[in-house]
Amino acid sequence: MQEKIITGKDIAERMKNVKHKIVVTSGKGGVGKSTITALLATHYAKKGYKAGIFDADFLGPSIPKLFGIERKAKELTIGESGITPVYSDRFGIEILSIQFMLPSRESPVIWRGLAINTAIRSFLGSVDWGEIDYLLFDMPPGTGDAILTILDFVELDGLVMVTTPQDMSVSIVEKAINMAKKMDSEVLGIVENMSYLECPKCGERIYLFGEGRGVELSRKYGIDLIAEIPFDLELMDYAERGRVEDYEVDYFEYFYY
Amino acid sequence: MQEKIITGKDIAERMKNVKHKIVVTSGKGGVGKSTITALLATHYAKKGYKAGIFDADFLGPSIPKLFGIERKAKELTIGESGITPVYSDRFGIEILSIQFMLPSRESPVIWRGLAINTAIRSFLGSVDWGEIDYLLFDMPPGTGDAILTILDFVELDGLVMVTTPQDMSVSIVEKAINMAKKMDSEVLGIVENMSYLECPKCGERIYLFGEGRGVELSRKYGIDLIAEIPFDLELMDYAERGRVEDYEVDYFEYFYY
């Protein structure tokens, strides 16, 4: 894959077979972008669509862990038709992550932006997704190289913005929304994550980060609020065990995209 | 500040007056790096030291918000002796953040790595910290441009690694620890953040992300566990109101560095 120079044309060619392309981003780290991406891909897969995930968080990849498929690294092969992604266990979601190419899960990727930019382009132009309905891009935090490269080279349907309800997170998500505007990219909707937690003992609803910021953000920018997702200890447990596909609740029931 | 080319020598000159230089990092986003940085700076200030913070998270700066000093942007001036930082309200902690230079708090910084690299070098060589005991660097997530540039140009005392207790976070923090090793940087200690939450109604201790991972990490790598910090709704409230300096608890009582 390093032998050939990847051009925008190669990328366009690869993306022809991908019906919908959606970026899941935030600006802020640790708001649950990867978990939301995994849940959204599972949502599409359950509806009968073919779904895939491009894990664009090269410095902190979480997707393989969420699906419990770190062991499947060897299934990622590079052949004549390009790189074949790895399939998730239950729904066969196609997954590409830099993690599959690292010697161990603790191996760091020590790359400056230029290397990230080059690697993303190289992957975009080399992965053979086959015919696929929804390709989701899980982004690293920030409005830097990774998202700029993807916005440059992929004709997206749009972006899904993930936030938690605290002010500290919201103001950084606003930066990402304003970046999208400046780059003429559509924000399809906002997901408020970790909205509240229910005490497992007394049932008290605990607002970890304050209340109602997702709605406010939605009104301020005229963007749909797709979902308000609680901090569910059960979901956390599924995620930790790499069984995110087995989590029953579908928060995207009313997201028709 | 743009007129002069900043060299490594300029940076070394500026850093001469700074006794201790500590990077607060993680690899993972949203684990509370900025809050920990703010609490650590406050700890030093309370002990009578002169402390400062270099907010190196250009794409998602949180430090000004935590100290409630976004309004003070105009105090950041560029004179003959360089850029003067902004002082926090209560303890006069010196703070430099890209946020002070943006038209609004929602303005994005849309920069590729090279621009980040250049800006960090430019700041490092231009800020007049005066005589200062502790300068803390609040890092963005990841093992990319920001931290590489700081490791390249600043002779650090070492790094403080922040993690939350879930596996998904720990494995990415391990990447950052391994990066530090590869770059011959010392990790001074590990902070486990959001260890647990106490239900405000019934007092039940809720482990949001599992238990004991900080201790495990500390043993595996032979690095001190400096603090296990609970998810304190009161701290969250102080942070949201920009009054992090007024929070009473000092989690770094036993961190003698």
Side-chain angles (χ1 to χ4, degrees), chain A residues 29-30 65 99 102 105-109 111-113 143-145 149 152 167-168 174-175 178 201 204 240, chain B residues 29-30 65 99 105-109 111-113 143-145 149 152 167-168 174-175 178 201 204 240:
Chain A
K65 161 83 195 154
Q99 188 61 56
L102 302 178
R105 65 170 221 162
E106 303 90 9
S107 305
V109 170
W111 282 357
R112 289 191 179 271
T143 46
D145 280 280
T149 302
D152 273 356
D167 203 41
M168 235 189 306
E174 289 190 53
K175 286 177 191 280
N178 286 318
K201 194 171 166 204
E204 173 79 353
E240 285 286 278
Chain B
K65 162 84 194 155
Q99 188 61 56
R105 65 169 218 161
E106 303 89 8
S107 305
V109 170
W111 283 356
R112 288 190 179 271
T143 45
D145 280 280
T149 302
D152 272 356
D167 203 41
M168 237 189 306
E174 289 191 51
K175 287 177 191 280
N178 286 319
K201 192 171 166 204
E204 173 80 355
E240 285 287 277

Side-chain angles (χ1 to χ4, degrees), chain A residues 164-193:
Chain A
T164 55
Q166 88 258 47
D167 203 41
M168 235 189 306
S169 167
V170 169
S171 66
I172 292 173
V173 174
E174 289 190 53
K175 286 177 191 280
I177 292 174
N178 286 318
M179 179 203 68
K181 272 192 194 171
K182 280 189 191 209
M183 305 197 60
D184 285 328
S185 296
E186 195 188 344
V187 181
L188 302 174
I190 294 166
V191 173
E192 185 185 282
N193 195 21

Side-chain angles (χ1 to χ4, degrees), chain B residues 85-101:
Chain B
V86 167
Y87 290 84
S88 75
D89 289 333
R90 182 159 173 190
F91 293 111
I93 295 165
E94 297 185 29
I95 293 168
L96 184 90
S97 173
I98 189 85
Q99 188 61 56
F100 298 133
M101 299 171 188

